[in-house]
Amino acid sequence: RAEIKLEYKQLRVWKLKLSDAGIYTCKYGSHKVHISLHVFKLTISSDGHFLQNEVPELILMHNSSSPPPDLSITLFNSNNKKVIPELQNKASQKYILNLKKLEATDSGTWVCQVHSDSPLINQNISFAVKVLGFQKPDLERKYATVDSTVILSWHLNFQKIKWKEGFTGQLNWKQQESANVHELLDFNITAQGELHETKKSSNFLFEIPEREAKSTIVMKLPKVHFNHSGQYQCQLAYKGRHAQSKIELVVMKVSANPVGPLSRGANMTLICQVSSPLPPNAYLLWERVNGTQMDTKNSKQHEVKLEVNIRAAGLWSCHLIEDNARKISLHYHVEEDPVSINYVIIGASVGGSVLVFALACLCIISGISWQRRSQRAKRMAQARQYLLENKTCQCQ
């Protein structure tokens, strides 16, 4: 692994090993030149292939002539930001660095900077880190109403980092934390770096739509049922290690008790219900469309069911409010009982008829009274005329 180039006075050594470290002496006649060769070897756990939230371990081996120099080690991630190890052990010519949990954005080329003042050493050692994971690893909450369409998606980054080594994964669903797990689909990466999916569940109504992004796991519920709620967990597996990302689906439904039209003067209870407790910054709200402030009611903290007693027909809406923003809304139209409407029409008709009859009677009575007054005035006028003409009359 070595050769001498006499014309350049050089000794060339390739494929260095730790054992190659030491003091090299060049003699020419009575002249001697000593050169100290330091050899570093950096290794990273899992060959630099990690899943999200895993903690990589770096081992820096150093060999040189004694005494060994006092080295300072600085790490820079793929974004050229300084990284401080969580744990650092220093032994004789061996440094062990344990880093923090990795994120998907940590993929790229890292740099280990080795420095010493005496002897003067400034060495940059680059190494590759590939982190396979989700763009949104934290728990995501998604809201839906009964009979609506919902699309759940998990975005992987294996295309971005050109990950061509095989991994497998699966999508599971369970309604509650302690409930049984239902496996919905399996997926894996092919030798060509493509994502391949296989539907597992035959009794669960969902679809696998066409994906625009080749590194996205997509699941579609064309018609959501109330019992479709729960946690949907997408899990990755690579060489016995796992990473996962969850989406919690919360479903809302509304109902009435009693069911049917609202009778005049009767009460009805409208019920708005969600499938799981809401976070502290979310609540339910009932309101009557175009109603007053009296026609509203809010749920209490962590309440999953909100009931409101009503006496007025019309369009009522239940809203799910989170951070003062409406996430989803569901409407319920309360119709008035047709029998009550008929009673109102009949009452109005009877009342109108009575009023017309009373007006007619009043007109007849007024007409008769006017006619009698007119005849009396006419006889009085004739009597005055007779008196003026000195006519006499004999009373019988």
Side-chain angles (χ1 to χ4, degrees):
R1 295 181 295 110
E3 66 177 358
I4 297 176
K5 293 186 176 181
L6 294 177
E7 64 272 24
Y8 300 111
K9 311 293 190 295
Q10 290 180 349
L11 171 65
R12 182 174 180 266
V13 183
W14 61 90
K15 294 183 180 179
L16 283 176
K17 300 179 180 180
L18 286 173
S19 57
D20 293 328
I23 297 177
Y24 289 75
T25 302
C26 179
K27 294 181 180 180
Y28 182 73
S30 61
H31 299 283
K32 292 182 179 181
V33 177
H34 305 285
I35 295 179
S36 179
L37 176 63
H38 299 259
V39 180
F40 298 95
K41 180 182 179 180
L42 180 68
T43 58
I44 183 171
S45 57
S46 303
D47 296 327
H49 289 75
F50 301 95
L51 295 177
Q52 235 160 359
N53 295 323
E54 289 189 331
V55 178
E57 181 185 69
L58 294 177
I59 299 177
L60 179 67
M61 301 291 293
H62 170 238
N63 193 13
S64 64
S65 59
S66 57
D70 186 17
L71 300 176
S72 65
I73 301 174
T74 308
L75 292 175
F76 297 91
N77 64 13
S78 58
N79 298 318
N80 202 27
K81 292 183 179 180
K82 187 176 180 179
V83 177
I84 300 176
E86 281 194 334
L87 183 64
Q88 180 172 343
N89 294 328
K90 179 181 177 182
S92 177
Q93 298 181 332
K94 184 177 181 179
Y95 296 80
I96 302 177
L97 309 176
N98 289 325
L99 305 183
K100 296 180 180 179
K101 291 182 178 181
L102 293 174
E103 300 178 1
T105 54
D106 290 326
S107 296
T109 302
W110 289 47
V111 175
C112 177
Q113 190 178 81
V114 183
H115 176 76
S116 172
D117 291 328
S118 180
L120 183 61
I121 298 175
N122 282 307
Q123 185 71 34
N124 290 334
I125 306 173
S126 60
F127 58 97
V129 175
K130 292 186 177 182
V131 185
L132 180 65
F134 303 91
Q135 292 184 6
K136 296 180 179 180
D138 299 329
L139 176 64
E140 181 183 355
R141 183 175 287 104
K142 197 175 186 69
Y143 299 115
T145 58
V146 170
D147 294 334
S148 65
T149 299
V150 172
I151 295 179
L152 306 178
S153 60
W154 291 262
H155 303 280
L156 303 173
N157 66 335
F158 76 90
Q159 288 279 349
K160 183 178 180 181
I161 63 177
K162 296 181 181 179
W163 187 298
K164 292 188 178 181
E165 297 192 31
F167 69 84
T168 61
Q170 59 185 15
L171 177 61
N172 302 322
W173 165 71
K174 57 183 178 180
Q175 281 194 287
Q176 298 175 354
E177 195 66 34
S178 59
N180 295 329
V181 176
H182 303 275
E183 186 175 346
L184 301 182
L185 61 90
D186 286 344
F187 59 90
N188 66 289
I189 188 171
T190 63
Q192 293 75 28
E194 297 293 330
L195 195 63
H196 178 70
E197 299 167 333
T198 304
K199 190 173 180 179
K200 299 287 289 187
S201 176
S202 59
N203 56 358
F204 192 84
L205 300 177
F206 76 96
E207 301 174 3
I208 303 177
E210 293 292 331
R211 291 177 285 109
E212 295 182 0
K214 296 181 179 180
S215 56
T216 303
I217 303 298
V218 182
M219 168 186 172
K220 179 181 179 181
L221 296 170
K223 194 172 184 180
V224 177
H225 298 167
F226 192 73
N227 58 1
H228 284 166
S229 61
Q231 290 187 354
Y232 293 81
Q233 176 177 280
C234 190
Q235 185 181 77
L236 299 175
Y238 178 71
K239 292 186 176 180
R241 293 125 58 194
H242 298 85
Q244 57 270 334
S245 177
K246 294 181 181 179
I247 296 179
E248 182 180 4
L249 180 62
V250 181
V251 182
M252 174 200 284
K253 68 177 180 179
V254 295
S255 59
N257 185 23
V259 179
L262 179 63
S263 302
R264 186 173 181 84
N267 291 342
M268 177 184 287
T269 301
L270 297 182
I271 305 167
C272 182
Q273 186 175 356
V274 289
S275 56
S276 61
L278 299 175
N281 60 337
Y283 62 93
L284 299 174
L285 168 65
W286 265 119
E287 70 172 0
R288 184 187 179 195
V289 179
N290 298 327
T292 64
Q293 191 66 29
M294 299 295 293
D295 297 328
T296 61
K297 186 179 180 181
N298 295 352
S299 65
K300 298 178 181 178
Q301 193 173 27
H302 302 298
E303 199 171 30
V304 297
K305 182 187 293 185
L306 178 61
E307 298 182 358
V308 59
N309 295 319
I310 66 168
R311 301 186 65 181
L315 183 62
W316 290 78
S317 299
C318 182
H319 309 288
L320 195 155
I321 312 294
E322 184 179 29
D323 291 329
N324 297 322
R326 292 183 181 180
K327 292 297 182 179
I328 51 174
S329 298
L330 204 53
H331 307 292
Y332 194 93
H333 187 259
V334 180
E335 297 181 352
E336 191 170 354
D337 193 347
V339 176
S340 301
I341 299 174
N342 291 336
Y343 285 157
V344 173
I345 295 174
I346 293 171
S349 301
V350 172
S353 301
V354 171
L355 181 61
V356 171
F357 179 73
L359 289 175
C361 293
L362 184 61
C363 292
I364 294 172
I365 294 172
S366 299
I368 295 173
S369 177
W370 178 82
Q371 188 177 10
R372 288 177 178 177
R373 286 197 303 270
S374 177
Q375 291 177 353
R376 189 181 301 114
K378 189 175 183 180
R379 287 195 298 268
M380 293 285 292
Q382 288 177 351
R384 283 194 297 270
Q385 186 69 28
Y386 290 153
L387 291 173
L388 291 174
E389 296 178 353
N390 292 324
K391 289 184 178 180
T392 61
C393 64
Q394 186 178 0
C395 295
Q396 296 182 358

